[in-house]
Amino acid sequence: MLVRGAVLTVVLLGLVAFSVLLAKVTLTPSPASEDLVTANLRPGRSLRQYAEDYTFLAACKQAGGNLLLGVPFGLLLPFFVPRRLRMIRTTLLTAVAMAVVELIQGALVEGRAFDVDDVILNTAGALLGYFVLGRRISHRYYTYTDASGSPGPSAEKPEAEPKRAPGPAARTKAAATKAAPTKAAPTKAARAKAARTKAGQRDRPKPAASAPAQKRGTRTGRTDGAASGGRRATGSGAVRSLLDRLRGR
């Protein structure tokens, strides 16, 4: 936490110092250039003029000065913008800030005018500073803050998802889950009782044959006895008839 505060303080002081320097360089009146400077709304016009009408050193001074004015934006702004689309946001902020400065120059400062090429060069300088050093420094800063558990100023808090009411199927399932432990105990007791009943039935002796079965057996025995008696009576009659025939002779 202490390191994070120290880093942000240093970066903020650097941004303030750079803003003062930028105001001093761009918003200082230049009465000698009042008749020479004109507003430029066509991109590339001033750059062409630097290449054709200026010497090499003068052209490098004009173009290089505008590039250097944008470099601090690429170094300092990544510490204050969100991590998502950091490069694009840094570029847009730089372009807006320098456009405002150029508008103030053309409207209020003597000997200066709005130049769209200056805005382009300043934005290119911000991108240069971001890719050369600003991206690495800001990445290390965010990595350290994430590892230490203290999110940076650009950490985005995730939105809490709204709670959804459970549907009828979920309610039925929850009710069945709650009722399951209550039904488990009677089911086990019923199973134990059924097992005891089956064991008792196995141990009991088998009952005698029923009355209809006994009657059927009795009837069957009588029928068999009558048949055997008939056979015996038939045999004795045959013997008697044979004896009577012998006696008659």
Side-chain angles (χ1 to χ4, degrees), residues 68-228:
L68 290 177
L69 283 177
V71 170
F73 284 107
L75 297 178
L76 302 177
L77 286 180
F79 289 89
F80 297 100
V81 298
R83 300 175 64 179
R84 186 180 180 183
L85 303 176
R86 187 187 307 163
M87 182 191 71
I88 297 176
R89 295 185 181 186
T90 301
T91 304
L92 291 177
L93 286 175
T94 303
V96 170
M98 297 313 300
V100 171
V101 171
E102 290 293 329
L103 288 174
I104 294 174
Q105 280 184 347
L108 301 178
V109 181
E110 183 182 2
R112 297 183 180 275
F114 178 85
D115 194 340
V116 68
D117 286 338
D118 290 348
V119 177
I120 294 174
L121 289 173
N122 297 145
T123 306
L127 286 174
L128 180 64
Y130 175 79
F131 283 113
V132 172
L133 194 59
R135 180 177 60 177
R136 298 178 183 178
I137 297 176
S138 60
H139 179 71
R140 291 182 180 179
Y141 167 74
Y142 286 120
T143 303
Y144 176 79
T145 54
D146 292 342
S148 61
S150 56
S154 60
E156 298 179 354
K157 297 182 179 180
E159 298 181 358
E161 297 183 357
K163 296 182 178 180
R164 298 180 179 178
R171 295 174 183 173
T172 305
K173 187 175 181 181
T177 306
K178 292 181 179 180
T182 307
K183 293 181 179 180
T187 303
K188 293 181 179 179
R191 290 179 181 176
K193 186 175 181 180
R196 294 173 186 172
T197 305
K198 291 181 180 180
Q201 290 178 357
R202 291 176 182 175
D203 295 339
R204 292 178 182 176
K206 294 183 179 180
S210 58
Q214 291 178 358
K215 290 180 180 180
R216 291 176 185 174
T218 305
R219 291 176 183 175
T220 306
R222 290 177 181 177
T223 304
D224 294 341
S228 59

Side-chain angles (χ1 to χ4, degrees), residues 17 29 31 36 46 55 61-62 70 86 104 137 151 158 163-164 169 187 215 222 225 231-232 238 241-242 244:
L36 301 176
S46 296
T55 62
K61 182 179 179 180
Q62 290 291 333
R86 187 187 307 163
I104 294 174
I137 297 176
K163 296 182 178 180
R164 298 180 179 178
T187 303
K215 290 180 180 180
R222 290 177 181 177
R231 291 174 184 175
R232 291 176 184 175
S241 61
L242 182 59
D244 291 339

